[in-house]
Amino acid sequence: KKMNELLNETHRYSLGSGLLIASGLRPIELMCISTFKLDDDNKNNVIITGLAKKRQGMANSVSRPIVGISPEDFIEKVKLFRNSVDNPCKKSEKIARGLQRAFKAKFPVMAKMGRFLFSRKIYSELAFQKYAPPELRTNKPLYLSQILGHKNGDVQTSQAYSWIMS
């Protein structure tokens, strides 16, 4: 419910926080480095190219489900968000702080517990509950490593996103 409220806000940082939760993007990916296109093989997904934090053996793109809105609406809202901020790549630190403030305003209790990456943890839980295929319902870390773009079989990194409270 709170994510949908953020996605329908007119304030750019609230909208941006909603987009982070709906997609599992990192702020820098949302602001400028990633591109998005519809995944013709999966109507719930977008193909995200230009991932941050790439390590050896990791792909530069991933097909990822979008939670709470259609992939078409997601892509349009990303354009709206980016257009609302003049030159977002050059202002990334300022924008990240604005996104963090919007997240904290909507999730004050959770924001007190830790870093801003809770948006990625919320996404991971929502995506797993809604989209994990039956064969991965018992292996959450493997599913998360696939949709978050981690190295093939790297379930250790995805453990960080497996739990909202730690």
Side-chain angles (χ1 to χ4, degrees):
K1 179 181 171 193
K2 288 183 178 189
M3 176 190 65
N4 287 327
E5 290 171 5
L6 288 167
L7 288 168
N8 290 310
E9 290 276 346
T10 56
H11 190 274
R12 63 183 173 208
Y13 297 137
S14 296
L15 171 60
S17 284
L19 291 168
L20 292 175
I21 296 168
S23 64
L25 291 170
R26 291 180 173 91
I28 192 68
E29 293 167 340
L30 172 66
M31 288 183 269
C32 60
I33 69 169
S34 294
T35 59
F36 311 94
K37 72 176 188 172
L38 299 176
D39 185 339
D40 295 331
D41 296 329
N42 190 328
K43 66 180 178 83
N44 301 310
N45 288 23
V46 295
I47 296 172
I48 302 167
T49 303
L51 301 174
K53 290 195 173 184
K54 288 186 308 260
R55 293 183 183 94
Q56 188 174 4
M58 292 174 61
N60 189 40
S61 66
V62 66
S63 177
R64 186 178 294 170
I66 300 300
V67 178
I69 59 174
S70 72
E72 295 86 357
D73 287 345
F74 170 78
I75 291 171
E76 286 305 311
K77 286 184 182 281
V78 168
K79 289 177 189 172
L80 180 69
F81 171 76
R82 287 179 174 177
N83 288 337
S84 73
V85 180
D86 183 37
N87 209 350
C89 294
K90 293 197 185 255
K91 299 177 181 176
S92 60
E93 287 183 34
K94 177 184 176 189
I95 297 167
R97 285 191 303 271
L99 292 168
Q100 187 170 4
R101 281 192 308 274
F103 180 84
K104 285 180 177 183
K106 191 57 80 173
F107 299 95
V109 173
M110 194 176 293
K112 288 179 186 174
M113 295 171 13
R115 296 178 55 218
F116 179 51
L117 289 178
F118 273 111
S119 62
R120 198 159 157 97
K121 289 184 178 193
I122 293 169
Y123 166 79
S124 296
E125 185 60 33
L126 294 172
F128 179 76
Q129 287 178 17
K130 185 163 179 132
Y131 295 114
E135 66 272 13
L136 291 176
R137 297 300 284 164
T138 58
N139 196 338
K140 186 177 185 179
L142 182 57
Y143 176 71
L144 296 181
S145 72
Q146 291 174 359
I147 65 169
L148 295 176
H150 298 156
K151 186 176 174 182
N152 193 19
D154 177 9
V155 296
Q156 185 175 0
T157 303
S158 64
Q159 289 285 6
Y161 302 106
S162 293
W163 313 106
I164 291 180
M165 294 181 67
S166 56

